[in-house]
Amino acid sequence: MCGIVGYVGFRPAAEILLEGLRRLEYRGYDSAGIAVIDAGEISIRKKAGRVQELARLLEKHPVNGSLGIGHTRWATHGQPSDINSHPHVGGNGEVVVVHNGVIENYSILKSHLQTLGYVFRSSTDTEVAAHLIAHEFSELIKMGEDPESSNTAIQAVEAAIKQFKGTYGLGVLFRDIPDFLIAARLGSPLVIGMGQGEYFLASDAGPLAGHTQEVVYLSDHELVVLTSQGMQLHHRDTGKHAPDVQVLAQAESGSGLNGFEHYMLKEIFEQPETIENAMRGRLDEDEATAKFGGLNLTPQQLRRIDRIVLTGCGTSWHAGLVGEYLIEEFARIPTEVEYASELRYRNPPLSTSTMVFAITQSGETADTLAAMRECKRKGHPTLAICNVVGSTIAREADGGIFLHAGPEVGVASTKAFTSQVTVLTLLALYLGRLRNMSYPAGQRIISHLQAMPDAIRKTLECHDQIKDIAQRYCDYDNFLYLGRLYNFPVALEGALKLKEISYIHAEGYPAAEMKHGPIALVDERTPSVFIAPRGHIYPKVMSNLEEIKARKGPVIALACEGDAKLDQLADDVVYVPFVEEYLQPLVCSIPLQLLSYEIALLRGCNVDRPRNLAKSVTVE
Ligand code: M6R
């Protein structure tokens, strides 16, 4: 969470920083601010609320200068307010800082700095970083170092970050050192964009698009010094070294709204194409299997794998649950799904023949990254299923599979989920064909997969019907989402979507579990959304549905086309095309995404920027 930008060069910094913050707003939108230095004077503009509020402030009170840093905040320490907004100033205004991460030992450091006379204005952990850097700087000056030398500034930042416990992506400016920006990373991503006579800093490559394609990703414990004429990288352990310059692919198209009212709706409607992209070049019809370029494990190595752990958070964890069912059914490999936030601290017994997959849209989720590193440390082959190329998880994994879903901007994950499920289906097929799956079975799966983009197109036709259903149910305060087998994760995902963008309480359950407790919630004001397309336990799901109806619970059902029975039982039925059971999560998740979107709209919620959330959760 939180997005950082920086600029040093010859152009007006404020415009570049502001545009960069707009592109990083998905990382947090509690407040935004910039600091620009011109002729030895720091100008700060910051404001609680969206980047648009900052833009208004800058219109009234513009700033000049070609050196600056900026920040968009997801509050961790201190509520969203003007005063808690970044940038934060240290000492007597000689240092200014933006920060992404959490300085866990901030209260000890703060007490110490207060005893030295430093005055704190905000309740953030970041102000500690600003004052500590300023303090180290003034100590160096007392010892005779030059206050206008960049070496003094570098030493001050190094001395300060040595004292931090926690995570940081930092951008630091010194009032009296022109043409000079320092950034440092531990745990929070930073990327440098290299231009001609100008350099850019950002939390991800988004803000660099249109400025440069040459980038350098910072690693943990690296510090970079940027001037308009060049960059210098220092690693804590290995000292100065040459940058590993990478060339970004042309900015992915489609990052605008393309006529849709919201990113979430646009991304829901992109799914026929994104599912196709997830399969492109990966279906091997001759061998009746899937193929991947980047697993970096030979078929022999993969045959020796006797257990798989899938890990992730939120929606990615739900995709992992579908993956567990798929891999166990197709490849007969015991598979478990672990919350990354648990796995990182749990130390379960995993043998060296256990393969770990980190599932993540952003590739920056702090818990998923930590779980992946922990598994790598223990020697397990650790791969990523990831959307963002160049993200930390994508770079650190031993190998992996990209989703190729294009940028997902809406905070509620939609197309990434269906792409993750598609990739997991391909993976299960591939692992199955390395083991016992027959050639005809592989062929059947391929032909079912090839039909999916059209099935998704057809499913999206339910949008108008969903709008009517949303009108009838938008005032209810509690929902149950119920499904079995492959549709149990879909129930969890449907409930998560409703919660996060409409703020309605919703629970997902395996439909049969409902009678072990949640059924006590059922009454005329608690609708149940049944995910009930035809499958081998369809009659059992019908019994569960009757149990809800017997207690006067309203029922919205997802059913296969032509299912007349459900028409009589449920209050509302949304029909989806018939697909094989293992592909039902792909079609069934779509009406649920649309339902949460339409309900959230009717309740006046900010669909793309729901309260308290951020797209990329880079803190614990
Ligand atoms: O980027 P990741 O896939 O690692 O993100 C994991 C979760 O934070 C994410 O899926 C979250 O649950 C979504 N907002 C759900 O829509």
Side-chain angles (χ1 to χ4, degrees):
M1 358 273 279
C2 298
I4 288 179
V5 287
Y7 177 76
V8 52
F10 53 87
R11 291 191 273 164
E15 282 165 35
I16 293 168
L17 297 173
L18 195 63
E19 186 48 35
L21 292 180
R22 285 200 177 98
R23 295 190 191 188
L24 289 183
E25 204 174 19
Y26 75 90
R27 301 176 69 90
Y29 32 85
D30 287 334
S31 65
I34 62 169
V36 174
I37 298 191
D38 192 28
E41 196 180 313
I42 300 181
S43 305
I44 296 183
R45 303 286 182 270
K46 55 186 192 175
K47 193 91 194 109
R50 306 275 309 264
V51 173
Q52 196 45 36
E53 299 298 322
L54 173 66
R56 283 197 197 102
L57 182 67
L58 280 164
E59 266 169 32
K60 280 196 214 138
H61 305 285
V63 292
N64 291 320
S66 301
L67 169 66
I69 49 180
H71 186 270
T72 177
R73 179 168 188 245
W74 185 84
T76 59
H77 295 63
Q79 63 184 25
S81 66
D82 291 353
I83 212 94
N84 285 336
S85 309
H86 300 214
H88 289 283
V89 169
N92 293 318
E94 54 272 30
V95 171
V96 63
V97 168
V98 289
H99 166 227
N100 168 27
V102 173
I103 298 172
E104 290 169 4
N105 58 338
Y106 85 100
S107 66
I108 300 171
L109 294 171
K110 184 171 179 175
S111 309
H112 174 60
L113 288 162
Q114 279 169 328
T115 59
L116 296 173
Y118 289 88
V119 177
F120 283 78
R121 292 166 193 88
S122 76
S123 0
T124 64
D125 52 339
T126 303
E127 198 178 356
V128 169
H131 280 315
L132 191 59
I133 294 169
H135 175 65
E136 295 297 342
F137 191 59
S138 74
E139 291 296 292
L140 287 161
I141 292 165
K142 277 187 213 155
M143 284 157 56
E145 298 288 343
D146 177 357
E148 290 178 16
S149 152
S150 50
N151 275 338
T152 315
I154 295 167
Q155 286 180 62
V157 173
E158 283 175 341
I161 59 182
K162 263 189 206 148
Q163 299 170 57
F164 297 156
K165 290 202 168 57
T167 53
Y168 54 81
L170 280 175
V172 188
L173 300 180
F174 287 77
R175 185 190 56 204
D176 301 324
I177 311 183
D179 193 34
F180 176 79
L181 192 168
I182 302 189
R185 166 188 168 145
L186 178 61
S188 302
L190 285 176
V191 53
I192 310 303
M194 304 168 70
Q196 297 290 327
E198 56 184 354
Y199 281 77
F200 305 83
L201 168 74
S203 294
D204 70 30
L208 311 181
H211 295 303
T212 177
Q213 282 175 255
E214 291 192 347
V215 303
V216 177
Y217 291 97
L218 247 59
S219 300
D220 280 350
H221 299 296
E222 273 185 343
L223 178 148
V224 65
V225 172
L226 303 175
T227 69
S228 57
Q229 298 310 313
M231 65 181 286
Q232 256 185 20
L233 270 179
H234 303 240
H235 190 281
R236 184 194 62 181
D237 305 326
T238 51
K240 276 186 197 165
H241 63 93
D244 173 13
V245 182
Q246 304 195 17
V247 179
L248 282 181
Q250 287 287 355
E252 283 172 290
S253 60
S255 52
L257 278 165
N258 287 357
F260 285 91
E261 202 181 334
H262 295 99
Y263 282 104
M264 181 178 176
L265 190 63
K266 172 186 171 239
E267 288 157 6
I268 292 173
F269 273 85
E270 279 173 355
Q271 288 174 106
E273 288 77 40
T274 50
I275 287 175
E276 198 149 19
N277 288 344
M279 296 191 283
R280 196 179 305 284
R282 290 175 172 160
L283 293 177
D284 181 343
E285 291 183 68
D286 292 341
E287 299 295 330
T289 187
K291 54 184 180 189
F292 303 102
L295 287 184
N296 298 339
L297 289 169
T298 63
Q300 289 74 10
Q301 287 170 315
L302 285 165
R303 280 191 198 96
R304 283 199 289 273
I305 296 295
D306 61 10
R307 187 174 171 204
I308 292 179
V309 171
L310 305 172
T311 190
C313 303
T315 291
S316 297
W317 185 84
H318 295 157
L321 273 186
V322 182
E324 176 189 10
Y325 291 14
L326 286 161
I327 294 169
E328 292 195 340
E329 181 175 341
F330 290 2
R332 314 298 301 155
I333 304 173
T335 302
E336 283 145 60
V337 190
E338 290 267 358
Y339 283 114
S341 53
E342 293 291 303
L343 180 61
R344 63 183 292 186
Y345 294 118
R346 223 169 61 74
N347 198 19
L350 305 178
S351 72
T352 46
S353 46
T354 300
M355 178 163 66
V356 178
F357 276 93
I359 307 174
T360 170
Q361 187 285 129
S362 62
E364 300 294 353
T365 301
D367 286 322
T368 310
L369 175 60
M372 184 183 95
R373 285 178 175 165
E374 188 59 23
C375 295
K376 273 188 80 164
R377 189 171 298 122
K378 290 173 179 154
H380 306 291
T382 304
L383 295 94
I385 294 177
C386 183
N387 195 31
V388 180
V389 179
S391 60
T392 309
I393 291 177
R395 286 182 296 118
E396 289 193 15
D398 296 322
I401 310 171
F402 283 115
L403 301 180
H404 300 309
E408 190 180 64
V409 177
V411 165
S413 188
T414 53
K415 63 177 180 174
F417 174 74
T418 49
S419 295
Q420 287 164 342
V421 170
T422 305
V423 160
L424 285 160
T425 314
L426 299 182
L427 180 67
L429 165 65
Y430 176 61
L431 294 173
R433 288 286 292 137
L434 286 181
R435 292 163 185 245
N436 294 326
M437 185 187 285
S438 70
Y439 187 86
Q443 279 183 314
R444 274 196 299 279
I445 292 170
I446 288 183
S447 71
H448 296 154
L449 278 165
Q450 285 166 330
M452 285 316 293
D454 281 340
I456 302 296
R457 259 176 222 112
K458 188 115 201 298
T459 308
L460 285 165
E461 290 170 11
C462 71
H463 190 191
D464 284 340
Q465 186 196 0
I466 295 281
K467 284 183 189 166
D468 292 342
I469 295 176
Q471 289 279 359
R472 283 197 288 289
Y473 291 93
C474 64
D475 291 331
Y476 287 71
D477 293 328
N478 294 292
F479 278 70
L480 287 174
Y481 282 71
L482 303 166
R484 295 184 75 164
L485 299 182
Y486 282 105
N487 288 314
F488 160 50
V490 179
L492 294 178
E493 177 59 10
L496 176 63
K497 289 289 89 92
L498 191 69
K499 274 186 268 216
E500 70 176 329
I501 60 166
S502 70
Y503 320 140
I504 294 174
H505 174 241
E507 298 282 351
Y509 270 95
E513 273 296 304
M514 163 273 297
K515 58 187 176 293
H516 298 286
I519 197 165
L521 298 171
V522 170
D523 61 15
E524 294 93 327
R525 295 289 305 163
T526 307
S528 293
V529 180
F530 262 88
I531 301 122
R534 285 208 179 274
H536 73 281
I537 57 165
Y538 173 83
K540 310 270 183 205
V541 181
M542 288 305 104
S543 308
N544 302 144
L545 196 151
E546 299 261 19
E547 287 151 15
I548 297 279
K549 285 308 298 173
R551 284 151 185 93
K552 302 201 173 80
V555 168
I556 304 164
L558 299 192
C560 277
E561 285 164 336
D563 185 339
K565 183 171 177 185
L566 263 174
D567 230 2
Q568 288 152 25
L569 277 178
D571 299 276
D572 289 280
V573 186
V574 180
Y575 287 104
V576 294
F578 173 83
V579 297
E580 297 300 313
E581 272 185 84
Y582 65 88
L583 292 171
Q584 285 172 355
L586 293 177
V587 289
C588 291
S589 54
I590 285 173
L592 304 187
Q593 295 167 352
L594 288 167
L595 183 65
S596 59
Y597 172 81
E598 292 299 336
I599 289 180
L601 272 193
L602 290 166
R603 290 169 73 101
C605 300
N606 186 335
V607 174
D608 282 335
R609 300 277 182 264
R611 72 181 181 205
N612 302 343
L613 289 170
K615 181 72 183 157
S616 181
V617 184
T618 57
V619 294
E620 267 201 81

